[in-house]
Amino acid sequence: MLTRGNLAARFPAAALIAGLAACSGDVVTAGPDAPELPANTALLECTVSVGAASLRCADTGPSAGGARGAIYGGQGSVIKLANTPVSVTKPHPDTVLMSTEVTVKNLLRDQAIGTVDSVTVDTAGIKVFYYTGPTVTAGSGFVQVAGQDGEAAFLNGPAPFYRYPQMLAPNATSAGRTWKWKVAPTVQSFTFKVYVSTAVQARIVINEIMLNPREPLQDSVAEYVELYNSGRFALNLQGFILSDNTAGFSDTIKSALMIGAGRYLLLGRSRNATKNGGLVPDYVYTSRFGTTSPALSLDNSGPDFFVIKAPTAVTVDSVFYATDSTPGFSRELKFTYDNNESVHNGNWQSGTRDYDPDYESYNYGSPRRVNPNNSL
């Protein structure tokens, strides 16, 4: 059972990406189920001067769209990567070795990175990918990335990366990783573009729940639970678990189910709008839940919890409810950032909008809409 005070420690995953170095950069969500990258996104282009032994990065402006992902935030508002002075050695007459220690700082106010639930360190770690380059811009000869932790498919194709196997709380800075480049002695400068890819806590709140719809609507069809994503990033709920706390029944979301930042998502028991007060849920429960029905349902005969868990089985949010004796009224959250642990406390109210007037069933709630008196 959670309160808004400890929500930040309970949320899983969207991938982030951000630009590098003594500067900081914009953030991209990435992954097979992420939305398309908008055309007005920006990258950071980093320039290494061999003679001055320096690394500098600058915003390159809009980049081409079409890659998987979406950019969020502004420079210095999400992630900052910082580097120590660049070291230059000449281990071989034909090779210059340049290196610098780079750290990652999480600038998000209330979301950890490098974790899907702020309890378990994400096995993928925080990765910094080369997006393009390195490419020689002055002088001539070769330049190569050295000492990287691996190579993996990323946006444009296979790319080398450095890995930070850590979870970073808000405002925390990682341990340093040494980045290296091998260059020809005739190279004067080179450039590259980078992104940082990491899991980030999502912020999902149970915002409304219809426990007991009024007849002719039936519990077996017309119950619903509304989720709200109060975080900065879209979230794919695939693999998340819907559960009750008493009987222990659950339903795992088996396919991609996106909820955008600042958006609502409706969970329900049927897509039959005629029997569901005109509603078509975004996701329909498929497994048993509660003690009164062979399908996932909200028990009206006794107290229970509605629980949503991350794929790691760590609880994301949980709402308690007792026997509901007032059919036809949902319970709606007033303040998404405050205590929502019980629908009977003062942060909840009864629905006031007739959401199905065409069906004349007189059921009140705000599914997929801002709740009256709601403060997000």
Side-chain angles (χ1 to χ4, degrees), residues 44-56:
L44 288 183
E45 183 174 56
C46 301
T47 300
V48 177
S49 172
V50 179
S54 66
L55 171 63
R56 295 288 183 269

Side-chain angles (χ1 to χ4, degrees), residues 8-280:
R10 297 290 187 176
F11 289 106
L16 282 186
I17 304 171
L20 159 70
C23 319
S24 51
D26 288 347
V27 173
V28 178
T29 62
D33 299 301
E36 292 296 319
L37 187 71
N40 62 347
T41 60
L43 299 176
L44 288 183
E45 183 174 56
C46 301
T47 300
V48 177
S49 172
V50 179
S54 66
L55 171 63
R56 295 288 183 269
C57 298
D59 195 331
T60 64
S63 64
R68 301 293 291 176
I71 290 274
Y72 296 87
Q75 199 159 217
S77 67
V78 179
I79 284 179
K80 181 177 181 180
L81 302 180
N83 63 283
T84 61
V86 177
S87 171
V88 180
T89 59
K90 198 171 183 180
H92 188 275
D94 296 328
T95 303
V96 173
L97 181 63
M98 307 187 72
S99 63
T100 182
E101 187 173 271
V102 180
T103 58
V104 179
K105 183 175 183 178
N106 177 16
L107 299 182
L108 294 173
R109 180 174 55 85
D110 56 3
Q111 293 172 280
I113 63 173
T115 178
V116 297
D117 53 27
S118 87
V119 175
T120 309
V121 177
D122 182 29
T123 56
I126 301 169
K127 293 179 179 177
V128 182
F129 280 93
Y130 281 80
Y131 180 56
T132 61
T135 303
V136 175
T137 53
S140 62
F142 67 87
V143 56
Q144 301 172 347
V145 177
Q148 68 268 34
D149 292 314
E151 185 174 284
F154 181 77
L155 297 181
N156 285 344
F161 64 84
Y162 297 100
R163 178 174 175 268
Y164 296 75
Q166 293 181 250
M167 174 173 60
L168 296 180
N171 208 42
T173 299
S174 74
R177 298 284 294 166
T178 301
W179 295 26
K180 299 178 182 180
W181 306 273
K182 292 180 180 180
V183 301
T186 50
V187 172
Q188 298 173 21
S189 65
F190 59 91
T191 65
F192 55 89
K193 297 177 183 178
V194 293
Y195 282 120
V196 175
S197 177
T198 178
V200 62
Q201 285 180 289
R203 296 191 61 83
I204 297 299
V205 179
I206 298 172
N207 190 56
E208 183 175 349
I209 185 167
M210 173 58 84
L211 298 165
N212 190 9
R214 190 196 310 268
E215 293 183 354
L217 302 187
Q218 301 297 312
D219 287 5
S220 60
V221 180
E223 293 175 346
Y224 66 78
V225 177
E226 178 193 77
L227 306 181
Y228 174 69
N229 182 0
S230 64
R232 293 183 66 171
F233 309 101
L235 175 67
N236 184 0
L237 294 176
Q238 183 174 354
F240 279 55
I241 303 162
L242 309 176
S243 176
D244 80 337
N245 195 59
T246 303
F249 299 115
S250 64
D251 176 66
T252 299
I253 299 172
K254 297 177 178 61
S255 58
L257 182 64
M258 298 299 299
I259 177 171
R263 301 288 184 174
Y264 301 94
L265 187 134
L266 199 63
L267 311 173
R269 300 193 64 192
S270 171
R271 288 192 171 92
N272 187 332
T274 302
K275 296 182 178 181
N276 202 18
L279 301 179
V280 181

